[in-house]
């Protein structure tokens, strides 16, 4: 079988590597950092541990499928998955709150009726029915199949069956998430609930197509899951599955170029001074029959000396993406009984928050804050302490945020979390903040929106070179990364006629 060179050890790249190794290929992964997992990172200090990337998992079936297809041990034998219930608690700007049960449409309807008033749950439940139709229409082309060659069809058609709405003597249908909220949900708190799913991916709901209704639907339909020991345990399990299938990993190895011969990718070039790959005849070149790149589009264009600049593939907006700003809190005192795993503290001023997301303002608005409080002994030194992760999606700036802005933003997140954690400030032993390029968020691919919400195809105009991970089809998020790995493996094993799992 063939030799495969994989650039990067992110989740999508490892998913592809494991599947290809099982298919008989010799797979080598080149990662410029000293560890695996990409955005699924962990910070440890003084007996505390924190997930600094994704904190929860939706669609675990994607990773279960990987483990079924690559070995005898199922995912549950390698990592412990726990359903989070309630899935989330929402604290709205007017002070009302709602705790939503996991994977129960009827339960969510009842919870919203009780918290927000009779009728609120029904409107949300009806919305989920329409969101399911959008999901059914887009699931295969956007998640289970390689990006169609005629992808403009996906860009032009809005799959969400919006309710007709009379406005200014005209009948209109919602074309964006914000219009769904205003015309169909008709409650600012339900609108905030809807839009929080877009904000988590750095999307402005005022311009995000209505097809993004699939984002809350996925969570409600398939549940929200946590990996015991932290989400990093999922990355560990995938890495160990790769090792068990004899995938080679070369950490501290920076790829500087994709080699081309006779119009085809034939290997990778490695920087001098890296931890050199073995068996490459001098250590600077690794030959391969196929190259898989788990890097951002701009980085891939650099590695190919911009030979992909005119490949004609759809690309997301090339401007700077919002990034996830994270505050890690080491707390004295135990987690109180009945504490919720995830609470969303919504912004007090929706318009100001959305405007701030587009560009760093002189006076930033307080963002929507996610508070994660996993009840996991593995993340704290003992029962008399607690580890908490606060996060928000904020406007991107060059490099890391200035120190003054980082401190002010961290203070804002802590202030928001005080409404969730009793006596928070008195309990803080220390805190750490994280942002930077590694925190930039990539949204899942979405239909409609003139193609601006699709991602580059997994194939490229350079035969033998493939894209994988959150910056390629089908986009960002742990489930989508796993799907991209399956798509790339299918394209290599079965060829360009591969059309996804049946």
């Amino acid at each position: 079988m063939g030799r495969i060179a994989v650039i990067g050890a992110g989740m999508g790249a490892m998913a592809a590597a494991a599947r290809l190794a099982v298919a008989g290929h010799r797979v080598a992964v080149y990662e410029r950092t000293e560890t695996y997992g990409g955005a699924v990172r962990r910070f440890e200090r003084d007996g505390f541990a924190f997930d600094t990337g994704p904190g929860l998992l939706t669609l675990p079936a994607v990773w279960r499928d990987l483990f079924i297809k690559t070995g005898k041990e199922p995912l549950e034998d390698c990592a412990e998955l726990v359903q989070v219930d309630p899935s989330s608690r929402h604290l709205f700007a007017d002070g009302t709150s709602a705790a939503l049960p996991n994977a129960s449409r009827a339960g969510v309807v009842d919870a919203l009726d009780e918290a927000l008033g009779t009728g609120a749950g029904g409107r949300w439940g009806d919305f989920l029915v329409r969101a399911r139709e959008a999901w059914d229409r887009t699931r295969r082309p956007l998640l289970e199949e390689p990006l169609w060659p005629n992808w403009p069809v996906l860009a032009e058609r809005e799959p969400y069956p919006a309710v007709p709405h009379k406005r200014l003597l005209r009948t209109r249908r919602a074309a964006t998430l914000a219009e769904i909220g205003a015309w169909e949900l008709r409650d600012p708190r339900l609108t905030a609930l809807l839009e929080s799913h877009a904000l988590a991916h750095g999307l402005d709901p005022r311009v995000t197509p209505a097809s993004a209704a699939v984002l809350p639907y996925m969570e409600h339909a398939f549940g929200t899951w946590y990996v015991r020991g932290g989400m990093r345990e999922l990355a560990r399990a995938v890495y160990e599955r790769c090792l068990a299938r004899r995938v080679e990993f070369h950490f501290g190895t920076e790829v500087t170029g994709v080699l081309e011969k006779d119009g085809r990718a034939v290997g990778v070039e490695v920087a001098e001074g890296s931890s050199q790959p073995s068996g490459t005849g001098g250590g600077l070149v690794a030959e391969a029959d196929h190259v898989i790149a788990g890097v951002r589009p701009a980085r891939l264009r650099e590695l190919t000396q911009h030979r992909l600049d005119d490949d004609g593939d759809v690309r997301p907006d090339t401007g700077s993406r919002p990034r996830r700003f994270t505050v890690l809190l080491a707390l004295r005192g135990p987690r109180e009984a009945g504490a919720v795993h995830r609470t969303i503290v919504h912004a007090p001023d929706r318009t100001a928050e959305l405007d701030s997301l587009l560009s760093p303002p002189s006076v930033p608005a307080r963002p929507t804050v996610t508070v994660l409080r996993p009840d996991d002994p593995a993340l704290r030194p003992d029962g008399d302490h607690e580890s908490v992760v606060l996060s928000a999606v904020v406007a991107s700036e060059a490099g890391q945020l200035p120190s003054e802005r980082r401190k002010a933003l961290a203070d804002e997140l802590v202030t928001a979390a005080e409404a969730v954690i009793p006596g928070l400030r008195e309990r803080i032993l220390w805190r750490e903040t994280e942002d930077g390029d590694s925190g930039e968020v990539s949204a899942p691919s979405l239909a409609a929106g003139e193609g601006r919400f699709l991602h580059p195809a997994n194939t490229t105009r350079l035969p033998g070179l493939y894209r994988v991970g959150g910056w390629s089809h089908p986009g960002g998020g742990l489930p989508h990364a796993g799907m991209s790995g399956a798509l790339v493996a299918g394209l290599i094993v079965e060829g360009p006629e591969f059309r996804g799992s049946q």
Side-chain angles (χ1 to χ4, degrees):
M1 300 297 283
R3 298 164 298 177
I4 312 292
V6 182
I7 307 171
M11 296 298 286
M14 290 196 296
R19 290 176 181 272
L20 288 166
V22 167
H25 294 276
R26 289 187 294 154
V27 185
V29 178
Y30 303 97
E31 168 59 49
R32 62 180 175 180
T33 73
E34 297 299 333
T35 190
Y36 54 83
V40 184
R41 306 180 303 278
R42 170 176 289 174
F43 179 87
E44 298 180 354
R45 174 182 161 187
D46 301 339
F48 292 89
F50 307 85
D51 287 320
T52 60
L56 292 170
L57 176 67
T58 55
L59 275 178
V62 172
W63 298 100
R64 290 190 179 113
D65 181 72
L66 171 70
F67 278 75
I68 290 171
K69 299 291 177 55
T70 59
K72 296 180 179 179
E73 306 87 359
L75 174 60
E76 279 76 3
D77 284 357
C78 304
E80 182 182 357
L81 271 63
V82 181
Q83 272 199 309
V84 176
D85 203 4
S87 172
S88 60
R89 176 182 174 229
H90 289 260
L91 183 58
F92 298 106
D94 67 351
T96 57
S97 67
L100 307 183
N102 199 341
S104 171
R105 177 179 174 273
V108 167
V109 168
D110 290 343
L112 290 174
D113 271 343
E114 181 178 352
L116 308 184
T118 302
R123 290 195 298 276
W124 184 259
D126 291 344
F127 157 73
L128 288 179
V129 172
R130 294 189 292 274
R132 176 177 180 174
E133 189 168 338
W135 165 262
D136 290 340
R137 291 174 176 175
T138 61
R139 176 178 56 85
R140 282 200 61 81
L142 285 186
L143 299 180
E144 298 176 357
E145 299 177 347
L147 188 66
W148 292 348
N150 62 333
W151 61 263
V153 173
L154 295 172
E156 296 164 1
R157 294 179 181 174
E158 173 53 71
Y160 177 77
V163 176
H165 171 78
K166 286 190 176 181
R167 183 176 176 84
L168 299 178
L169 303 180
R170 296 175 56 194
T171 298
R172 298 185 58 186
R173 296 176 184 267
T176 66
L177 276 191
E179 290 176 344
I180 291 176
W183 300 349
E184 298 181 10
L185 299 179
R186 305 189 307 280
D187 185 313
R189 297 163 298 183
L190 292 179
T191 298
L193 171 59
L194 170 66
E195 294 181 348
S196 65
H197 293 273
L199 289 170
H201 294 288
L203 298 172
D204 183 345
R206 297 173 298 189
V207 296
T208 300
S211 65
V214 299
L215 300 179
Y217 173 77
M218 285 171 55
E219 183 171 307
H220 285 297
F222 305 109
T224 304
W225 301 77
Y226 173 70
V227 181
R228 187 72 67 189
M231 296 301 295
R232 179 69 177 174
E233 287 298 292
L234 177 62
R236 174 200 55 77
V238 175
Y239 170 66
E240 290 181 354
R241 177 54 53 92
C242 287
L243 292 179
R245 300 301 167 260
R246 299 186 179 180
V247 174
E248 296 181 8
F249 284 84
H250 304 283
F251 296 109
T253 302
E254 183 172 4
V255 172
T256 57
V258 174
L259 302 176
E260 179 183 346
K261 183 178 180 181
D262 298 329
R264 180 180 178 83
V266 294
V268 296
E269 206 169 48
V270 176
E272 292 190 42
S274 296
S275 300
Q276 304 296 348
S278 58
T280 56
L284 296 179
V285 170
E287 297 179 350
D289 299 290
H290 302 275
V291 177
I292 301 172
V295 297
R296 293 192 57 172
R299 175 63 178 151
L300 183 56
R301 292 196 291 274
E302 291 176 359
L303 295 177
T304 57
Q305 297 180 353
H306 296 274
R307 291 192 296 271
L308 301 183
D309 279 352
D310 60 347
D311 65 358
D313 281 326
V314 61
R315 294 189 181 91
D317 187 355
T318 56
S320 60
R321 294 284 307 164
R323 61 160 57 99
R324 182 172 290 105
F325 181 82
T326 303
V327 180
L328 314 177
L329 299 179
L331 304 185
R332 61 172 64 88
R335 183 179 187 268
E336 74 274 11
V340 174
H341 188 119
R342 175 177 59 167
T343 300
I344 312 296
V345 184
H346 291 271
D349 187 331
R350 168 185 175 270
T351 301
E353 176 187 27
L354 298 183
D355 289 342
S356 293
L357 191 64
L358 299 177
S359 61
S362 55
V363 182
R366 202 270 280 165
T368 293
V369 177
T370 299
V371 181
L372 294 179
R373 306 179 66 191
D375 186 10
D376 191 340
L379 305 185
R380 55 186 184 244
D382 52 50
D384 291 325
H385 295 85
E386 181 183 7
S387 65
V388 173
V389 177
L390 315 179
S391 64
V393 175
V394 299
S396 185
E397 300 183 33
Q400 288 191 327
L401 297 173
S403 57
E404 299 83 2
R405 174 65 179 132
R406 287 166 63 88
K407 183 180 183 305
L409 185 54
D411 287 339
E412 291 176 19
L413 267 61
V414 170
T415 298
E418 284 186 287
V420 178
I421 306 175
L424 174 58
R425 289 191 184 273
E426 291 73 25
R427 294 182 58 195
I428 297 176
L429 290 170
W430 49 262
R431 77 185 191 191
E432 295 277 352
T433 60
E434 288 207 355
D435 68 313
D437 291 341
S438 61
E440 288 187 293
V441 291
S442 175
S445 291
L446 299 172
E450 300 179 345
R452 291 182 294 116
F453 299 87
L454 296 174
H455 287 264
N458 304 111
T459 54
T460 72
R461 70 186 298 266
L462 181 61
L465 175 63
Y466 303 82
R467 303 181 181 95
V468 76
W471 300 102
S472 63
H473 180 75
L478 273 175
H480 300 75
M483 293 172 191
S484 75
L487 292 174
V488 169
L491 288 165
I492 290 175
V493 172
E494 299 187 25
E497 300 306 313
F498 173 69
R499 288 296 175 263
S501 58
Q502 302 298 320

